[in-house]
Amino acid sequence: MRIVLLGAPGSGKGTQTDAIIARYGVATVATGDLLRAEVAAGTELGRRAKPYMDAGELAPFDIVLGMIENGLKTLAQTNPKGFMMDGFPRDLAQAEALDTLLARIGQPLNRVLFFDVDYEEIVKRLLGRGRADDNEETIRNRLRVYEEKTAPLIDYYDRKGLLRKIKGTGTIDEIRQRIETVLDDVG
Ligand code: AMP
């Protein structure tokens, strides 16, 4: 199984990853987590990415792509069940780069899950979360960047027939069941 979780920050993708991993045995690649680890470790890459993260902007393409290439290489060797991507791709250039990478290894995506949550609910959730980059100014910018750069991927994947919309409101359990409905038939 090779899937992408798509949705605004705060749409609940991260909350569902454990359940998806437990049920399908996939490994997860979350670029936000990888970037935060680089920042925490004080690496050169982390130092480069931090100002973008603090501002709610996308980190540079080369940094993120390098992390994904490394992550996929490791995953291909360690997890035969496949992978789930959270927070990547985040714009058209990243989506095309991912397609190219996966085509090269003959392992295209099977599904893209779009977590559909309306705007007011997203803002409410993000303000309640309290992460370092969750202050109001950054949140507003992250949502703007999402609308402008990431939201076009909904259409991009829909055209490829890969998109499945998951209603992202309700209990964690209800959302998990909706996810199972669209993933249980993927090999
Ligand atoms: P996230 O945990 O996915 O909300 O990501 C936190 C921050 O990391 C984002 O606001 C971006 O600054 C950066 N980031 C995460 N994933 C990507 C990506 N695929 N491309 C560029 N920047 C990213």
Side-chain angles (χ1 to χ4, degrees):
M1 175 183 292
R2 296 170 300 274
I3 60 174
V4 163
L5 307 186
L6 186 64
S11 60
K13 308 185 297 290
T15 307
Q16 294 292 336
T17 57
D18 285 350
I20 298 175
I21 292 166
R23 188 172 180 89
Y24 305 103
V26 292
T28 180
V29 193
T31 41
D33 290 344
L34 293 174
L35 286 168
R36 279 185 289 279
E38 297 284 344
V39 172
T43 64
E44 173 62 30
L45 196 152
R47 271 194 293 275
R48 268 186 71 202
K50 189 170 188 304
Y52 296 91
M53 297 167 76
D54 288 344
E57 295 287 336
L58 296 187
F61 182 78
D62 65 303
I63 292 185
V64 177
L65 194 68
M67 289 193 325
I68 285 290
E69 277 172 338
N70 283 337
L72 279 179
K73 217 177 286 164
T74 316
L75 284 183
Q77 286 158 1
T78 57
N79 198 314
K81 302 247 183 167
F83 59 80
M84 156 179 64
M85 295 195 167
D86 172 7
F88 180 92
R90 250 192 171 79
D91 65 12
L92 213 54
Q94 291 183 6
E96 285 169 353
L98 179 63
D99 281 348
T100 306
L101 261 173
L102 295 179
R104 204 183 298 151
I105 57 173
Q107 303 207 357
L109 293 172
N110 318 103
R111 295 271 192 286
V112 174
L113 270 49
F114 166 53
F115 287 66
D116 195 14
V117 180
D118 60 53
Y119 194 82
E120 286 100 272
E121 173 71 18
I122 293 278
V123 174
K124 205 170 76 189
R125 288 187 190 177
L126 288 174
L127 283 171
R129 199 164 67 171
R131 211 170 70 188
D133 58 351
D134 278 347
N135 64 72
E136 212 170 330
E137 182 64 30
T138 308
I139 288 174
R140 213 173 301 129
N141 203 38
R142 291 171 71 208
L143 287 172
R144 191 187 54 74
V145 169
Y146 170 77
E147 285 300 331
E148 189 182 311
K149 301 191 166 160
T150 312
L153 298 184
I154 299 166
D155 196 43
Y156 176 84
Y157 286 121
D158 196 24
R159 281 167 203 261
K160 291 178 184 283
L162 293 173
L163 198 82
R164 299 293 182 278
K165 197 191 272 197
I166 304 289
K167 185 168 154 250
T169 46
T171 65
I172 292 180
D173 243 31
E174 283 165 348
I175 299 168
R176 182 180 51 74
Q177 280 166 24
R178 289 176 200 140
I179 293 172
E180 288 170 9
T181 306
V182 303
L183 288 184
D184 273 359
D185 64 328
V186 180

